Amino acid sequence: MKPAPFEYAAPDTIDEAIHVISQNDPDEVKILAGGQSLMPLLNMRLARPQLLLDLSRVRELAYIRELDAGVAIGAMTTKRDLEESPLIRERHPLFHAATRLIGHPQIRNRGTVGGSFAQADPAAEYPAVALALDIEIVAQGAGGTRRIAADDFFITYLTTALEPGEILTEIRVPELPAGTGWSFQELARRHGDFALVGATVTLRLEAGRCSDPRIVVFGVVDRATRFAEAEALVAGQPAEPATFERAAAQVAESIEDPLSDVHGSGEYRRDLARVLTQRALVEAAGRAN
Amino acid sequence: MGAAKQIRVKVNDVDHDAVIDPRTSLADFLRGELGLTGTHVGCEHGVCGVCNVLVDGRSVRSCLMLAVQADGRDVRTVEGLADGEKLHPIQEAFMEEYGLQCGFCTPGFMMSICELLERNPDPSDEEIMEVIGGSICRCTGYDSILRSVRTAAAKLGGARA
């Protein structure tokens, strides 16, 4: 028996789940979504909750619903369901591409979108996509429902704006304007591993010049980060290699205190951020029209 | 321990009722309670893939799923592949193509491949590699496993001739 003892509850509805939390000390409750990150933490006893609240039987939280200009995804929707959804593949290609890079099929069969957002791993794909696409996060608690912008949601390592007792119930993904180019780049030592570093870019082209660029890099600091100064070097400029090189160099320069560990030094990650940003800009420009 | 939970889970077409500590992993339940030791445990944090089993037809890491979460579900393990003495075509293919050496990782590979071929009878090499990349094998170098999957697909009648 690897985890420390815990009480276990598996409610059928979101209201019931919120009620269960309100009957306990919210700081002592851990919410189990797909378990692909939490179960290892429990097995290693890095997490020792008194109560494990399993959402896997809350069917009302598993859905992919088309909106006027986007898609609403229930928190308990698995990555496998997202990866296989024609709506996601055709209308949200950046989200689709990022989903395909998360773990392995066996992990995506269990891992959920809500779990990844709430886990907020600095090297995870979804937080970066959330910043690039302005995804909104919906949270529900005893006090009601609120929507949180991606910019305000991811705070630092494994820390989000969710309050104790709140449950992430949905994410709302806006559709990219027609003609927007996009790219998602990452480098991992083995396919399916967390990325060492990744970069995602969206931009549009108007008469050969770039407009509305978004540059997000992840895996280099405590959370996925947008690089406004680099974006400013791209906006209004010709879509050509010199523009992209300057912006990528600016990204590398702006990174303070890059993560450094056994998998890669800080300086290696900084250089990787430059290389992947440049590749992402080139690919996004190639896809824009 | 937390309050014990009563579960009923179907494993390889047989219903089992059990009362378990909620922190029991599905892998430990299969091995310890049911004696189905064909499902191996390796890293026990979701990386190596030796514990892959099918739950409602989907391959999952049984070390990252609680047994209590399998309540009411349909679980299939490597013991459920063969029909009596007759090996499953995936097992035959692994024998013929030398898809294993030490065999420790093999049950996890086979269950993932079982899901793949049930959903996609004629997978491309890229699709096969995506699935077998979810298990770690330190003997074969994967080439013979790739061949095993192609051969299994042909035996099952799905593959292009």
Side-chain angles (χ1 to χ4, degrees):
Chain A
M1 211 76 72
K2 302 193 88 182
F6 51 73
E7 295 298 328
Y8 172 84
D12 294 316
T13 67
I14 184 76
D15 287 344
E16 215 182 309
I18 287 166
H19 178 73
V20 169
I21 298 176
S22 71
Q23 300 297 302
N24 286 273
D25 175 355
D27 288 323
E28 292 295 334
V29 179
K30 269 280 175 197
I31 295 172
L32 179 63
Q36 304 302 288
S37 295
L38 181 54
M39 284 303 304
L41 293 176
L42 291 169
N43 283 347
M44 292 182 235
R45 302 201 174 195
L46 294 169
R48 308 171 69 111
Q50 275 173 13
L51 175 73
L52 191 65
L53 180 62
D54 180 4
L55 297 183
S56 62
R57 296 190 189 268
V58 184
R59 294 231 178 94
E60 62 186 313
L61 284 182
Y63 56 85
I64 301 170
R65 200 172 288 150
E66 197 168 359
L67 303 172
D68 279 346
V71 62
I73 303 169
M76 289 301 289
T77 309
T78 65
K79 284 146 194 163
R80 199 66 185 279
D81 286 340
L82 288 164
E83 165 182 11
E84 292 180 349
S85 156
L87 172 67
I88 301 294
R89 191 175 57 239
E90 286 155 26
R91 305 276 291 282
H92 302 277
L94 170 54
F95 198 92
H96 177 78
T99 302
R100 296 264 305 142
L101 290 170
I102 300 171
H104 303 285
Q106 299 84 359
I107 298 293
R108 297 197 291 276
N109 273 341
R110 295 281 301 164
T112 64
V113 68
S116 285
F117 272 71
Q119 180 72 11
D121 192 297
E125 289 82 359
Y126 278 158
V129 173
L131 293 179
L133 296 179
D134 278 335
I135 290 176
E136 268 189 323
I137 294 96
V138 183
Q140 203 172 323
T145 299
R146 64 182 179 127
R147 290 191 190 182
I148 309 160
D151 273 340
D152 302 324
F153 184 76
F154 299 103
I155 293 173
T156 181
Y157 298 100
L158 313 184
T159 307
T160 69
L162 288 172
E163 298 287 344
E166 268 187 327
I167 297 176
L168 193 164
T169 53
E170 181 181 275
I171 64 157
R172 299 171 74 86
V173 185
E175 195 165 338
L176 281 171
T180 305
W182 59 273
S183 175
F184 194 94
Q185 300 282 334
E186 69 172 42
L187 189 96
R189 290 189 69 203
R190 294 169 302 198
H191 181 66
D193 281 3
F194 273 106
L196 277 172
V197 176
T200 182
V201 163
T202 62
L203 58 79
R204 288 195 283 159
L205 289 183
E206 281 167 20
R209 289 179 181 270
C210 303
S211 74
D212 298 311
R214 285 275 173 115
I215 300 173
V216 180
V217 176
F218 61 100
V220 284
V221 291
D222 61 337
R223 56 178 168 162
T225 310
R226 259 185 84 178
F227 287 86
E229 285 175 35
E231 289 172 3
L233 292 178
V234 174
Q237 298 301 309
E240 58 187 34
T243 302
F244 302 145
E245 273 168 38
R246 268 197 302 277
Q250 176 62 45
V251 165
E253 208 172 291
S254 322
I255 296 168
E256 285 173 29
D257 244 344
L259 298 175
S260 185
D261 60 23
V262 65
H263 303 296
S265 68
E267 286 317 298
Y268 177 68
R269 280 192 161 86
R270 184 197 302 279
D271 196 51
L272 204 48
R274 180 183 63 77
V275 171
L276 295 177
T277 300
Q278 190 167 335
R279 282 183 199 164
L281 283 162
V282 170
E283 186 175 54
R287 283 181 173 141
N289 54 54
Chain B
M1 71 182 244
K5 296 284 176 187
Q6 167 91 40
I7 62 168
R8 168 170 290 190
V9 51
K10 181 177 279 191
V11 181
N12 301 330
D13 288 327
V14 178
D15 281 322
H16 296 272
D17 291 292
V19 176
I20 53 163
D21 186 320
R23 59 193 163 128
T24 312
S25 73
L26 178 58
D28 286 347
F29 174 74
L30 293 169
R31 292 172 55 82
E33 298 286 323
L34 304 187
L36 295 172
T37 52
T39 299
H40 294 166
V41 287
C43 73
E44 294 187 69
H45 58 273
V47 176
C48 76
V50 304
C51 69
N52 292 340
V53 300
L54 301 188
V55 176
D56 291 341
R58 295 281 202 169
S59 63
V60 305
R61 307 284 204 229
S62 60
C63 73
L64 295 189
M65 183 167 168
L66 297 168
V68 64
Q69 295 184 296
D71 184 27
R73 315 254 183 223
D74 182 7
V75 177
R76 283 153 68 198
T77 69
V78 70
E79 288 91 345
L81 284 181
D83 179 9
E85 291 296 305
K86 183 164 170 37
L87 293 179
H88 187 279
I90 294 172
Q91 294 170 309
E92 287 176 1
F94 265 72
M95 260 175 61
E96 290 165 17
E97 301 290 353
Y98 301 93
L100 67 156
Q101 186 175 321
C102 84
F104 187 72
C105 65
T106 311
F109 271 97
M110 285 185 173
M111 298 321 288
S112 294
I113 291 162
C114 187
E115 178 199 27
L116 170 70
L117 296 180
E118 282 177 3
R119 295 168 59 84
N120 180 2
D122 183 20
S124 66
D125 283 357
E126 195 189 346
E127 288 165 331
I128 296 170
M129 286 191 282
E130 171 79 12
V131 167
I132 66 178
S135 284
I136 292 176
C137 172
R138 287 295 179 251
C139 297
T140 62
Y142 291 81
D143 266 1
S144 61
I145 297 176
L146 178 61
R147 285 200 307 274
S148 301
V149 183
R150 289 189 199 131
T151 298
K155 283 174 181 284
L156 288 160
R160 285 164 284 211

